[in-house]
Amino acid sequence: MRSCKSLNLTIDQQAVLTNISCTIGSGEIVVVCGDHESGKSALLQALAGHIRACRLQVLHHAQAMAATPAQVVLAQRPETPADQTVSDLIGSPDHVTEFGINGLWNRPIRTLSRGERRWVELAQAWAQLRQTPDVSILFLDEPLQGLDQQKQARILDLIQQTKSGGIAVLIVLNDLSVAEQIADRVWLLKSGRILAQGPPDQVLTPALLQAAFETDVLSG
């Protein structure tokens, strides 16, 4: 379980996260939604322990995170050395046979298209998931970006399998219809605050979405 209470983050004198209290439990899929200035990625990074200023406010199994516990994090734009190849990132194709990336194996990362790169980054995340003992949580920031429908469906299936193994999954998504489809709970952010949290049918309502996005939004 990962949680925070009254979490605040200020960067360059600007409030990024304000009074955030939330919990994600084992075997639960939580989707974080909101507009591009809502603080979604910052919240994911804070809960992952990647933002030093937030570490004392984040708990893992009700204990302060003295060290980052076993977890896997896929950032929205991972920093990868341009000269690395796909094989450098993943190590062995045996860990990710369902991704079908043998044809990309010796390609430098810099030569991949946006969709290919995202697919390889996802393969790397699942390789880490399978090689890291006692992983308790998977963080995914916009995992479907740049993927075709077939690959999106495959990732959503893998996310469900991960949940069924008892691992918590926290996902930042812009696609509200996908959030409705896979989330056990949704956190809806607005200007660095949680506007609402709960089951998708209680959070992704016309009134709350209008308040979050300041426009009419169709979730499905």
Side-chain angles (χ1 to χ4, degrees):
M1 182 178 75
R2 193 69 56 90
S3 63
C4 64
K5 185 174 182 180
S6 301
L7 183 147
N8 296 285
L9 174 64
T10 299
I11 298 176
D12 295 333
Q13 299 184 332
Q14 181 175 353
V16 177
L17 299 172
T18 303
N19 198 30
I20 298 282
S21 296
C22 55
T23 300
I24 177 169
S26 301
E28 181 180 35
I29 297 175
V30 172
V31 176
V32 186
C33 298
D35 66 22
H36 70 285
E37 295 181 345
S38 63
K40 303 186 298 294
S41 294
L43 179 56
L44 181 147
Q45 292 293 331
L47 289 173
H50 289 181
I51 299 178
R52 186 180 299 274
C54 296
R55 286 180 187 168
L56 295 178
Q57 303 171 71
V58 176
L59 303 178
H60 183 70
H61 294 309
Q63 301 294 321
M65 290 202 306
T68 302
Q71 61 185 29
V72 173
V73 182
L74 173 67
Q76 189 171 4
R77 297 179 182 87
E79 294 182 5
T80 306
D83 58 346
Q84 281 198 340
T85 65
V86 172
S87 61
D88 291 330
L89 281 186
I90 297 173
S92 170
D94 295 338
H95 299 300
V96 289
T97 54
E98 70 271 55
F99 281 82
I101 56 175
N102 288 345
L104 302 175
W105 201 243
N106 295 312
R107 292 266 303 274
I109 299 301
R110 67 176 181 275
T111 69
L112 301 180
S113 68
R114 179 187 177 194
E116 288 172 336
R117 180 162 183 159
R118 197 54 169 170
W119 191 238
V120 166
E121 290 164 353
L122 285 159
Q124 180 192 22
W126 256 266
Q128 292 175 346
L129 196 65
R130 288 161 180 167
Q131 295 175 80
T132 306
D134 303 322
V135 169
S136 60
I137 187 165
L138 170 65
F139 294 94
L140 300 171
D141 196 344
E142 287 297 341
L144 307 182
Q145 239 177 19
L147 302 183
D148 60 34
Q149 290 187 343
Q150 183 178 15
K151 286 185 170 63
Q152 288 187 16
R154 184 58 186 144
I155 291 303
L156 295 178
D157 183 55
L158 286 170
I159 289 170
Q160 293 287 1
Q161 292 178 32
T162 299
K163 168 192 170 177
S164 67
I167 295 174
V169 187
L170 182 67
I171 315 170
V172 169
L173 278 180
N174 285 326
D175 192 325
L176 300 180
S177 63
V178 174
E180 284 183 321
Q181 175 187 340
I182 67 168
D184 295 307
R185 289 189 297 126
V186 173
W187 300 343
L188 184 62
L189 269 60
K190 171 68 176 176
S191 301
R193 299 175 181 267
I194 293 185
L195 182 65
Q197 56 180 309
D201 61 347
Q202 296 179 19
V203 174
L204 301 178
T205 65
L208 285 171
L209 292 176
Q210 202 283 331
F213 292 93
E214 298 183 358
T215 186
D216 291 331
V217 177
L218 296 177
S219 61

